Every structure is written in C-alpha cells, then in structure tokens.
Amino acid sequence: MGNDSILKITTDLLLPALGETLIMVFISTIISTVLSFGMAIILIYSYEDGLKPNHTVYQIVNGFCNIFKSLPFIIVALAVIPFTKLIIGTSTGYKAAIVPLVIISTPYLAKMIETAFLEVSTGLVEAAKSMGIKNRDIILGVYINESLSGNLLNVATIMIWLVEASAVAAAIGAGGLGAVAITYGYRLSNPKIIFLAVIVLVVLVETIQWIANRAYYHVKP
Amino acid sequence: MSDWLIMLKTVIFPEFINTIFITVGTLILSIPLGLATGISLTITSEDGISSNYYLNLLLNKANNFLRSIPILILIILFIPFTRVVFGKAYGVLAAVLPLSAAAGAFFARLVEVNLREIKPGLIELGKALGLSKTQIVWEILMKESLPGISGSVTTCVISIIASSTVAGAVGAGGLGAIALSYGYQSFNYSILYTVVFIIVVMVQCVQYFGDKIRNFL
C-alpha cells in the first residue's frame, strides 16, 4: 500500500476510513445531543433557582456529569467494554465505538448546554413565569429558543472533540482514520499515508467549524 | 499476598509514577510555551497593544492546525522528531514532546480567552500612566487574569492526564498503557478497574486543589 500512488491510497484506504469516522462522529453527535439536552433540562429544572428546585436530583446529575466529563476517553472506553458487548454484541469495530463516545460526550455537552441555558436572561424567564406559561413551554420557548445559537457552537465543539476521540478509539479496535494512522503511521512507519490522513482530518475539522460558524451567524438573533 | 496486591506493587505503582512524570514534564514545557503564545496572540490582535496582522495570522493558523490534529496522530507525527531529540520514540521522556505541543496550543487558547476578559479600560489606564508594553503585560494583563489562568492550568493538567493515557497506546508507558495491555489485551478486569479508579481519584484531586488555589488567588 505504501508505494502506491496518492490517488490509490485515497480511494482504497482513506475514503473508507473517513466514512467510518464520519459514521462514528455523526451518530454519536446525534445521540449525545438528544441525551445531553435531556440532562441539561433536568439540571435547569432542579437547580436551586430553577423551575422545580430539587437538591438531590441536581446533585446526582451534576456529580455524574462532573466525574465523567473529566475522565480520559480511553479509560472510559475500556471500562465500559462489558456494557458495549451487552448492547452491540461486540466491543470492536466502529459501531461498538459509538457506545463509549456517547457515554463520554454526553456529560460534557450537557454541562455546556446548561451553561448556555444559564446565560438566558432571568428576566425573560421571570416574565414567562408571571404570564402563567407552563414549565414545559418555558423550557421549549424560552431556554431552548434563546440559547439556540450558543448551543449550535457547543454541538460543533463536541463534534470536533468526537473526531479526536474517535481517533483514540482506534487504539481499542474501532477503525476509522485513527486506525489508518496507527497501522500505517505507527506500526509500519509510512510517512506518506499518515500525512494524507492528517490532511483529511484537518480538512474535516475545519469544515465542521466553518459550517458551524456559518450556521451561527444565520440563527444568531 | 494476593495477586492483586503484587500487581499493584510491581505494575501499577511504577506506571503511576510514570504518569505523574509525563504530566509534570509536559506541564513544565507547555505552560511557559502556552503562556507566551497566548500573550502574543492577545497583544498582536487587531485591538491589542502591539497589533501585528501577519504575526497574529501565523500564530492563529499554527495554533488551529495543531489543535485540529487528534493527539494520537500528533504523537505518531512527532516520532521522527522525537527520535532526533531523544534517540528513541518510545518511553516516558519521548511522550513529553508531542504532549507539550498539544497542551501548549490548548493552553494558549485558554490564556487568550482569559486575557480578553480584562476590561479594555484598565489597559487604557496603563497606557495613560505611561507604562511600557512589557509593564502592561506583567502588571495589568498577568495580575488581572491570574485567578482565571490558574483555573486554566487546572483544565490543562486534566487534559494532559487524558492525553498521557492516549500516549500509552503508542508506546509511552504510564497508566493508559497498563489499562490497555491488562484490560483490553488480556482482559484482566481487576487491574483495569484499579487503574480507572486511580485516574478518577487523580483527576478529582487535581480539580479540587485547582479550585482551592483559584479561590485563594
């Protein structure tokens, strides 16, 4: 493979790997966005000045987020292998990597969404409350609506971070561009392939950031 | 003595020391590097005290480029360079270089964010008092952002611990390597979960003491 032309390396090796990376990153982003919105809503409901203050619930969810968001990805991925096997049936391959990727990115994103929620002006929330608007509608109409542009950038940040984590996941058999880098760059020391893989990754990250920035200015009030 | 205790003493403890060594070594290199880059990014920006369009563009692009390469791949990319410097591309010392490059770039952005939060009025005041640029950097930028920067150091330490475990996958040693070889390759779950526990405690300790120092400042 190492002596082949750049075109052949790209079509036979890098594009399929890019496909796997994209699947891992996109599916993990979608699942973790849904889950972390749920967690952030629980946090915003239950914190002490929230819509329905509940100290215990807040402490449990908050503690869970704080512990998980600061753990190294590879450690979490290894620790949840039994769980991954239970859900997916195997612990290798790009599909299996989605489980630890979701587990580690959800608490991280949930805390970022919570911060965006807290930046929504309290006056607006108070006004909605005094108009007798139901809590559910305050969440949808005020919190989520007002923080949309900020959360868009948060999701982009988590997506870029998932590109990075999915490369690490290759160390435990996940496939994707990280696996190409480990196999051809580290084990076979092939500089050409690893430089091409780096170019693909940098372009991928820049593209995600570019789309997110465009969308941000589009939805920004 | 049970197997677990023997493993704890002969395998886990030495690698724990290695992880500490990698983390401290990386910190020593990356904090000054990141601080210098962060300050340069801020003062050369459009509204900075010595704005320089091209230098700023260069620093920004270099920083973005470094940060968009996943750490695992950055370590592999650094192999030829590390080999020139240390004569070998594996082991604790070899991990320090690529980790410092990544952590330095990350820390530079955190420093930049902290410096941007300083009120522009304060810098104007410094200028009006006739302070030199060096004095403005040390007396105003650094002193004002000290608590924020100490918080950023904490974040940076935690991210270095995380990336040192990744470095374990490509020959650096440390707790990450133990977790991989015993947990993943030989399915020894008691070793794996001991390592997980140690890292959780380490990260929580760093966060706790980091918060204490920040509040103290």
Side-chain angles (χ1 to χ4, degrees):
Chain A
M1 197 94 217
N3 299 319
D4 289 339
S5 71
I6 289 179
L7 186 72
K8 194 164 166 17
I9 293 173
T10 312
T11 51
D12 289 4
L13 189 66
L14 291 177
L15 284 183
L18 176 67
E20 286 181 6
T21 297
L22 285 178
I23 293 173
M24 278 193 275
V25 170
F26 272 102
I27 296 182
S28 309
T29 307
I30 292 167
I31 301 175
S32 89
T33 303
V34 173
L35 291 178
S36 41
F37 262 103
M39 280 175 103
I41 288 169
I42 295 175
L43 285 170
I44 207 81
Y45 249 102
S46 60
Y47 91 113
E48 53 183 336
D49 298 324
L51 298 170
K52 254 194 197 131
N54 185 330
H55 189 69
T56 327
V57 171
Y58 183 81
Q59 288 297 327
I60 292 172
V61 178
N62 196 35
F64 172 82
C65 285
N66 281 339
I67 289 180
F68 266 85
K69 87 180 165 74
S70 52
L71 284 181
F73 170 69
I74 204 164
I75 296 296
V76 173
L78 290 171
V80 300
I81 281 179
F83 183 61
T84 311
K85 274 191 182 144
L86 197 73
I87 297 183
I88 310 280
T90 168
S91 66
T92 53
Y94 66 93
K95 281 181 199 139
I98 293 172
V99 175
L101 287 174
V102 167
I103 291 177
I104 193 120
S105 59
T106 300
Y108 196 14
L109 185 56
K111 287 303 277 185
M112 294 202 303
I113 296 175
E114 188 205 8
T115 312
F117 279 171
L118 289 174
E119 274 166 14
V120 172
S121 92
T122 42
L124 220 54
V125 180
E126 287 304 318
K129 269 188 202 164
S130 63
M131 282 191 278
I133 293 173
K134 274 185 289 184
N135 280 348
R136 200 187 62 199
D137 295 332
I138 293 181
I139 292 285
L140 284 174
V142 181
Y143 279 118
I144 292 185
N145 205 12
E146 289 292 315
S147 62
L148 201 60
S149 56
N151 279 329
L152 205 90
L153 288 186
N154 286 340
V155 172
T157 307
I158 219 70
M159 229 171 137
I160 289 173
W161 189 78
L162 280 168
V163 173
E164 152 120 34
S166 75
V168 173
I172 52 165
L177 286 165
V180 170
I182 289 190
T183 316
Y184 291 94
Y186 177 62
R187 300 216 174 100
L188 301 175
S189 301
N190 186 321
K192 194 154 103 189
I193 295 183
I194 185 144
F195 279 116
L196 287 174
V198 168
I199 293 172
V200 174
L201 274 167
V202 172
V203 171
L204 176 63
V205 169
E206 293 289 327
T207 313
I208 295 173
Q209 191 65 60
W210 185 76
I211 294 173
N213 287 344
R214 291 298 293 265
Y216 174 75
Y217 288 111
H218 194 72
V219 297
K220 200 182 168 191
Chain B
M1 206 153 68
S2 70
D3 284 353
W4 182 76
L5 272 177
I6 296 171
M7 291 300 275
L8 193 65
K9 212 171 137 188
T10 56
V11 177
I12 297 181
F13 185 70
E15 294 298 345
F16 171 68
I17 300 295
N18 279 345
T19 296
I20 303 266
F21 191 85
I22 297 177
T23 311
V24 173
T26 307
L27 264 183
I28 292 172
L29 272 178
S30 65
I31 297 296
L33 195 80
L35 203 58
T37 318
I39 293 171
S40 312
L41 270 170
T42 317
I43 62 175
T44 58
S45 72
E46 220 178 314
D47 44 5
I49 50 173
S50 56
S51 61
N52 182 329
Y53 178 78
Y54 290 104
L55 187 59
N56 190 264
L57 190 75
L58 181 76
L59 284 174
N60 248 322
K61 289 288 166 205
N63 192 302
N64 280 346
F65 181 74
L66 259 185
R67 286 192 320 131
S68 61
I69 303 176
I71 182 70
L72 178 82
I73 295 180
L74 193 70
I75 296 169
I76 299 174
L77 273 181
F78 257 73
I79 286 177
F81 182 59
T82 316
R83 205 166 267 149
V84 170
V85 177
F86 293 117
K88 59 176 190 176
Y90 56 90
V92 171
L93 211 55
V96 169
L97 276 186
L99 291 184
S100 302
F106 177 57
F107 189 60
R109 281 285 177 228
L110 297 178
V111 169
E112 194 197 0
V113 171
N114 279 314
L115 294 182
R116 278 191 193 287
E117 276 166 13
I118 296 173
K119 289 193 196 87
L122 272 175
I123 295 161
E124 290 303 318
L125 180 72
K127 277 185 196 161
L129 288 170
L131 297 184
S132 71
K133 279 172 185 170
T134 332
Q135 282 173 318
I136 292 181
V137 168
W138 285 115
E139 303 294 325
I140 297 175
L141 293 184
M142 285 294 91
K143 278 192 181 156
E144 284 297 313
S145 61
L146 199 59
I149 287 182
S150 92
S152 302
V153 173
T154 310
T155 313
C156 196
V157 175
I158 291 173
S159 102
I160 292 173
I161 293 176
S163 39
S164 81
T165 60
V166 175
V170 282
L175 288 171
I178 292 293
L180 265 177
S181 55
Y182 286 88
Y184 177 63
Q185 280 147 6
S186 31
F187 299 99
N188 186 333
Y189 285 114
S190 63
I191 300 290
L192 172 63
Y193 287 109
T194 312
V195 171
V196 172
F197 178 75
I198 292 174
I199 290 181
V200 172
V201 173
M202 253 173 98
V203 168
Q204 298 304 318
C205 284
V206 170
Q207 188 71 56
Y208 179 79
F209 288 110
D211 288 346
K212 284 265 161 188
I213 294 172
R214 188 194 173 132
N215 290 337
F216 178 74
L217 292 169

